[in-house]
Amino acid sequence: MPDIRLESLRYVYSRGTPFEKVALNDVTLDIPAGQYVALLGHTGSGKSTLIQQLNGLLTPTAGRVLYDGEDIHRSKEALRDIRFRVGLVFQYPEYQLFEETVYKDIAFGPGNMRLPAAEIEERVRKSAHFAGVDESLFDASPLELSGGQKRRIAIAGVMAMKPDVLVLDEPIAGLDPAGCRSLLENIKRYHRSTGCTIVLVTHEMNVAATEAERLLVMRAGQIALDGTPQEVFSRPEELRSMGLDIPGAAALAQALRQRGVSLPESIYSPKYLAKTLLSRMGGVSC
Amino acid sequence: MDTVISIENVSYHYPDAAENVLKNVSLAIPAGSFTAILGHNGSGKSTLAKLCNAILIPTEGRVTVNGLDTSLEDNLIPVRRTVGMVFQNPDNQIVASVVEDDVAFAPENLGVESAEIRRRVDDALRRVGMYEFRLHAPHLLSGGQKQRIAIAGVLAMQPKILVLDEPTAMLDPLGRKEVLSTVEELRAETGMTVLLITHHMDECIGADRVIVVSDGQLVMDGAPGEVFSRVEELRALGLDVPDTTETLYELRKAGLDLPLDALTIDACADVLAGLFTKSAE
Amino acid sequence: MLKDITLGQYFPGDTLVHRLDPRTKLISVVLDFIALFTANNWLSTAVVALTLILAVALSRIKPRALLKGMKPLMFIVVFTAVLNLFYTEGHVIAQFWIFRITSEGLRRTILMVLRIFLLVSCTFLLTYTTSPLQLTDGLEQLLRPLKKLRFPVHELAMMMSIALRFIPTLIEETDKIMSAQKARGADFETGGLMRRARALLPVLVPLFVSALRRADELATAMECRCYHGGEGRTRMKTLQMHTADHLTLLFWIGVLCCVIVLKRFGL
């Protein structure tokens, strides 16, 4: 599977108007195939612009987006092709459903790819399975289902294009804790069984910490931090200065350090914190 | 304390639905309290909110606000001006294209005289810290700012009770903080009764009381510390606990005798740091 | 993209033009329209143009913003210009292939383009300097006499102000849905008319569904804020005509008279 490379990417909104805004400022970035990346940053930091560059919905003001080493804007055909290779699930995707039945809606993407009917059917079934949409819903109208179900249908609709890269913008926004957990599990399972690249945009630090192998933190149109969850969450002050939270467990570990308990910098989950504390106590009492 | 909202044996089902969304719920909200209502999506918590200001009328049972029965036509306006509501989607509750005109909407509906409306609007906007934005167009503001405008729009009615139905569900962390600290300041300054409906556990930490709704029924009711200590039960209900509680819970599982009700980062850190000073001795 | 459409946008400000009573501005626009349709020669059109230039200067609206607003109408302007330019009989001043340009045609074209431009600018100036709410208030007040005929003046005004409030929101939403469908391979740019119309379905259906949902939520939110129709409703900003308003109206009547006189004497 191919890698993505952004080269000195720059994007300016509403150029030449009073509303002109630099959304991406000289971003250079490599996303190797198969990685699970979380993209963080507060609203307006450039996350949404960045992900819309990945599938060519936006055209760079300067710089290039390379997919498998080739510029995605090199031709009209290439640009159309990239839409199917890099699947983009927008925020609140449930509001984009439009077909009469769930099946037809999931089939919209593969239909646009002009695939044979049998292939489409297989893809719809597979992606419905991955996204957690039950086949018994296939004939239902998507508009009559619950918000959580609709969202899964919309995600299945993008998965059905079998993209090499799946980009999800805030897929868990507005879901309750159980809904979040099970959707994230679905995404993880999809990642493991297809081996595709995942780019997950989220505000939830706990989610980023537990799901992704690499975190990218954006600030003012640039990548401000890039590293493993351990590396990124060991810089709580920087994260806070960017208007971001740190996971509760990381904040707790920091408060403990201030109280003289020596703990490693890399704690961000309650389970791991508890484990570390237990081993420390063992160490002290010996 | 006086009860401002009293919900007595209330059941509710939507006109086209067969099943009750709320099943024989009873609840009394004391004046000046801060109550958080937790529940998964579809638990009936939003329905509960809408019953508090006569947007929905119980199918069975009775809801009274300051002693006024919400099912009586004549009480409609008095009830609604007493219970201010803020909803999830900030875009869909702003009526006007200029911030201050939007805030003026409720007092205008109440027939308040124009100089008094002006005073209330300025006051409400100052309270939520949006006075400088009074001439802005709402659609250009951030989610958190829009939600503060929505709060100001409700404050201009001078309600006694503020009901917030998942006010932060569509906001980013910054916006969430903005809205929550606005509500906190309002409570401190005015002693208003607040009912916060949410599924973010950490938003409930500051509440006096947490009520958990599941499947149309109230399944837990107590101080945040009490409710959150029931970790297994909450998980079974599709809810989560704050990281502080979870850390304590993990340590308890390992056999340590720790209280589960240290909810804030600082309180929890104190408890945990205590372990080390003890074991060092 | 769609966001660039400036139609109906309000630029807050505190100039003389901003402060005028919306009723004054509405009547002025009507008078301006009458004057423009009456004006049929250089001098009278110039008088109206000068008045408008004065108004724009006073409002501190950048002329560029007005020009930008013209963009979506360019097609109509060019179309009428071409029609007038090539299909007016008269003294031929230039000719090539099957096209003929007459001096009358040229004159009429220039006047026509100028007139469209002035009409549009005037309307834009109104919406740029008057908040939609003021605008609907003004309309509501002006149409008030119709209430006696059971005409739902308040309801219409309310609907209008809400529509105006939601235009930017819905435009943004359209952009978003279009992007989302493009991401699923929807193609809005190629194919014949029928195909393109069909391709819009994935945008229109969600947009419609979402508009309904918004309407529903907004209605609830309005009820929560004690909305119960126009009866007994007061306003924070009550409309009041000041000296400036009276002078403006007098001024416009003067302009109109001037135009009529100029026309009458064929200057």
Side-chain angles (χ1 to χ4, degrees):
Chain A
M1 265 182 208
D3 303 338
I4 299 177
R5 181 176 168 74
L6 309 182
E7 273 181 359
S8 320
L9 198 63
R10 187 177 163 78
Y11 187 74
V12 184
Y13 273 107
S14 314
R15 239 195 317 175
T17 74
F19 303 106
E20 182 171 307
K21 185 179 179 279
V22 180
L24 292 177
N25 192 1
D26 200 25
V27 172
T28 297
L29 177 69
D30 277 293
I31 303 176
Q35 214 170 40
Y36 195 139
V37 185
L39 185 58
L40 308 165
H42 79 78
T43 311
S45 59
K47 290 174 303 193
S48 300
T49 313
L50 184 77
I51 58 172
Q52 291 188 58
Q53 292 286 358
L54 296 181
N55 74 342
L57 276 177
L58 296 177
T59 312
T61 309
R64 297 197 299 168
V65 180
L66 301 179
Y67 184 81
D68 204 5
E70 287 188 283
D71 192 330
I72 61 167
H73 291 279
R74 68 186 180 281
S75 71
K76 241 185 158 168
E77 292 69 38
L79 193 59
R80 196 169 156 69
D81 188 51
I82 202 73
R83 300 269 159 85
F84 303 123
R85 306 272 212 128
V86 180
L88 178 50
V89 180
F90 276 83
Q91 212 176 348
Y92 301 108
E94 55 272 31
Y95 298 141
Q96 76 194 29
L97 304 178
F98 70 98
E99 283 283 12
E100 302 140 69
T101 68
V102 169
Y103 181 93
K104 280 192 190 171
D105 213 294
I106 301 178
F108 180 66
N112 285 329
M113 298 168 81
R114 318 249 154 78
L115 297 169
E119 164 95 33
I120 293 182
E121 175 159 352
E122 196 207 314
R123 285 184 174 211
V124 172
R125 283 186 201 289
K126 265 206 174 134
S127 62
H129 170 72
F130 275 126
V133 178
D134 198 89
E135 289 197 16
S136 65
L137 296 175
F138 276 2
D139 292 325
S141 160
L143 303 179
E144 283 159 13
L145 303 174
S146 78
Q149 282 170 319
K150 281 190 213 168
R151 185 165 304 178
R152 286 167 185 277
I153 293 162
I155 294 174
V158 174
M159 286 177 172
M161 302 190 304
K162 273 200 189 161
D164 301 327
V165 181
L166 181 63
V167 185
L168 302 115
D169 191 357
E170 302 271 357
I172 55 166
L175 298 181
D176 59 18
C180 287
R181 241 178 288 151
S182 88
L183 183 59
L184 288 169
E185 268 163 34
N186 283 111
I187 296 171
K188 194 115 208 188
R189 200 176 321 139
Y190 179 78
H191 173 62
R192 287 211 187 101
S193 33
T194 61
C196 81
T197 313
I198 304 271
V199 179
L200 180 84
V201 179
T202 183
H203 288 308
E204 302 292 333
M205 293 297 156
N206 284 339
V207 168
T210 49
E211 298 299 313
E213 56 192 285
R214 175 183 180 193
L215 307 189
L216 294 169
V217 185
M218 291 193 73
R219 173 181 49 192
Q222 289 181 313
I223 307 281
L225 293 173
D226 178 357
T228 62
Q230 283 94 324
E231 285 162 1
V232 170
F233 290 125
S234 62
R235 300 157 88 166
E237 295 314 321
E238 262 171 278
L239 287 169
R240 286 211 177 101
S241 75
M242 287 181 233
L244 295 173
D245 276 331
I246 57 173
L252 188 53
Q254 206 195 2
L256 279 168
R257 267 178 237 120
Q258 281 163 1
R259 284 167 176 74
V261 181
S262 81
L263 288 170
E265 291 281 314
S266 58
I267 291 173
Y268 52 84
S269 88
K271 281 208 172 74
Y272 185 55
L273 173 60
K275 219 169 103 189
T276 318
L277 285 172
L278 281 172
S279 67
R280 274 299 128 82
M281 285 180 57
V284 174
S285 50
C286 280
Chain B
M1 267 189 285
D2 298 339
T3 297
V4 282
I5 301 179
S6 150
I7 296 171
E8 296 157 43
N9 308 316
V10 166
S11 297
Y12 183 83
H13 70 84
Y14 285 93
D16 46 355
E19 218 185 317
N20 278 342
V21 211
L22 286 181
K23 297 161 189 162
N24 197 21
V25 170
S26 292
L27 178 64
I29 305 291
S33 62
F34 177 12
T35 309
I37 298 185
L38 268 176
H40 55 83
N41 289 350
S43 58
K45 59 187 194 303
S46 286
T47 308
L48 193 61
K50 288 186 182 129
L51 284 164
C52 291
N53 76 336
I55 287 299
L56 300 177
I57 305 296
T59 348
E60 273 169 63
R62 206 166 80 108
V63 176
T64 55
V65 171
N66 267 346
L68 299 172
D69 189 331
T70 61
S71 66
L72 301 177
E73 187 71 33
D74 284 346
N75 290 343
L76 208 63
I77 299 295
V79 163
R80 287 187 184 155
R81 69 190 298 175
T82 314
V83 183
M85 281 271 247
V86 175
F87 293 100
Q88 187 184 100
N89 191 330
D91 276 318
N92 299 350
Q93 48 191 325
I94 293 177
V95 193
S97 322
V98 178
V99 166
E100 62 175 14
D101 291 339
D102 186 74
V103 178
F105 184 69
E108 286 180 339
N109 291 331
L110 291 168
V112 176
E113 179 248 331
S114 48
E116 167 68 10
I117 301 181
R118 180 82 255 174
R119 209 186 52 73
R120 286 192 189 186
V121 167
D122 291 350
D123 182 59
L125 282 171
R126 284 206 184 90
R127 281 198 185 282
V128 301
M130 290 296 291
Y131 184 70
E132 313 88 272
F133 292 88
R134 64 192 179 282
L135 294 176
H136 283 233
H139 73 271
L140 298 174
L141 301 176
S142 75
Q145 289 173 325
K146 283 186 212 170
Q147 224 37 335
R148 278 149 71 195
I149 299 299
I151 296 176
V154 164
L155 289 182
M157 297 197 292
Q158 303 189 326
K160 298 270 182 301
I161 305 150
L162 188 59
V163 178
L164 303 123
D165 187 2
E166 298 198 42
T168 61
M170 297 181 77
L171 305 182
D172 63 2
L174 227 54
R176 207 181 286 169
K177 264 183 223 151
E178 258 174 69
V179 170
L180 292 173
S181 63
T182 303
V183 172
E184 195 40 58
E185 276 161 34
L186 267 177
R187 259 175 45 72
E189 284 167 23
T190 62
M192 224 175 182
T193 312
V194 174
L195 208 63
L196 174 70
I197 290 152
T198 181
H199 53 230
H200 284 291
M201 308 301 133
D202 32 355
E203 292 179 4
C204 306
I205 293 176
D208 308 326
R209 179 183 180 192
V210 176
I211 291 168
V212 180
V213 185
S214 180
D215 200 21
Q217 285 171 315
L218 310 187
V219 291
M220 290 187 208
D221 183 351
E226 278 166 54
V227 169
F228 286 138
S229 0
R230 296 156 77 173
V231 177
E232 293 297 330
E233 282 171 80
L234 284 170
R235 289 212 173 125
L237 292 171
L239 296 172
D240 234 331
V241 292
D243 275 6
T244 46
T245 314
E246 190 172 350
T247 310
L248 293 169
Y249 176 72
E250 288 295 325
L251 290 170
R252 264 173 84 107
K253 272 208 300 202
L256 290 176
D257 180 29
L258 289 171
L260 282 175
D261 58 359
L263 295 178
T264 62
I265 299 280
D266 279 329
C268 184
D270 285 339
V271 169
L272 293 177
L275 283 176
F276 284 86
T277 45
K278 249 186 260 161
S279 44
E281 278 161 10
Chain C
M1 276 298 268
L2 287 166
K3 268 181 221 151
D4 298 333
I5 297 176
T6 48
L7 190 91
Q9 200 175 20
Y10 168 54
F11 295 120
D14 193 26
T15 68
L16 180 68
V17 182
H18 283 87
R19 281 195 303 265
L20 282 179
D21 189 294
R23 288 171 292 182
T24 311
K25 287 189 255 187
L26 278 164
I27 298 171
S28 298
V29 169
V30 174
L31 292 176
D32 174 80
F33 274 32
I34 298 174
L36 270 173
F37 281 109
T38 316
N40 62 345
N41 52 24
W42 296 113
L43 204 57
S44 48
T45 310
V47 170
V48 184
L50 273 177
T51 325
L52 207 66
I53 290 170
L54 180 71
V56 172
L58 283 173
S59 72
R60 302 221 188 101
I61 294 288
K62 290 197 187 75
R64 235 174 69 191
L66 287 176
L67 286 173
K68 218 180 137 215
M70 285 291 288
K71 257 193 205 156
L73 296 164
M74 239 24 216
F75 174 73
I76 303 171
V77 175
V78 171
F79 187 71
T80 39
V82 167
L83 272 188
N84 277 290
L85 193 58
F86 297 124
Y87 294 94
T88 309
E89 296 296 317
H91 174 67
V92 179
I93 49 170
Q95 188 165 19
F96 55 94
W97 192 35
I98 55 163
F99 300 110
R100 261 199 330 236
I101 296 177
T102 63
S103 58
E104 284 81 359
L106 193 63
R107 177 173 169 277
R108 201 192 270 192
T109 304
I110 297 175
L111 272 177
M112 184 63 110
V113 170
L114 203 61
R115 189 182 286 170
I116 295 180
F117 179 71
L118 289 175
L119 277 175
V120 175
S121 304
C122 166
T123 324
F124 275 118
L125 192 61
L126 175 73
T127 59
Y128 283 173
T129 60
T130 321
S131 79
L133 213 72
Q134 275 183 308
L135 210 56
T136 43
D137 274 0
L139 267 180
E140 190 178 352
Q141 292 293 317
L142 286 175
L143 296 178
R144 193 172 246 180
L146 292 178
K147 243 183 195 168
K148 293 203 182 85
L149 305 172
R150 302 206 160 231
F151 189 73
V153 178
H154 166 77
E155 286 73 9
L156 273 179
M158 193 49 125
M159 271 165 58
M160 227 174 92
S161 75
I162 289 174
L164 284 167
R165 146 76 185 88
F166 276 91
I167 285 172
T169 309
L170 290 176
I171 287 177
E172 204 177 300
E173 182 143 31
T174 312
D175 260 352
K176 238 188 254 167
I177 298 173
M178 276 179 89
S179 299
Q181 306 300 27
K182 271 193 208 160
R184 292 209 278 167
D187 183 359
F188 303 112
E189 275 121 34
T190 56
L193 198 63
M194 273 309 283
R195 240 193 88 153
R196 277 203 218 189
R198 274 252 306 277
L200 278 180
L201 217 60
V203 178
L204 292 178
V205 174
L207 193 65
F208 187 66
V209 171
S210 133
L212 281 181
R213 183 178 46 88
R214 283 182 194 280
D216 194 42
E217 286 182 21
L218 185 72
T220 308
M222 284 170 71
E223 275 186 62
C224 284
R225 286 160 77 184
C226 301
Y227 181 69
H228 55 281
E231 211 170 310
R233 197 171 137 77
T234 49
R235 307 309 307 269
M236 174 168 73
K237 296 169 182 165
T238 44
L239 298 179
Q240 235 163 11
M241 293 270 208
H242 297 285
T243 326
D245 293 294
H246 298 300
L247 288 177
T248 308
L249 289 177
L250 269 177
F251 178 70
W252 269 109
I253 293 169
V255 170
L256 190 58
C257 291
C258 187
V259 168
I260 293 171
V261 168
L262 286 173
K263 181 183 179 161
R264 181 117 185 88
F265 292 98
L267 286 165

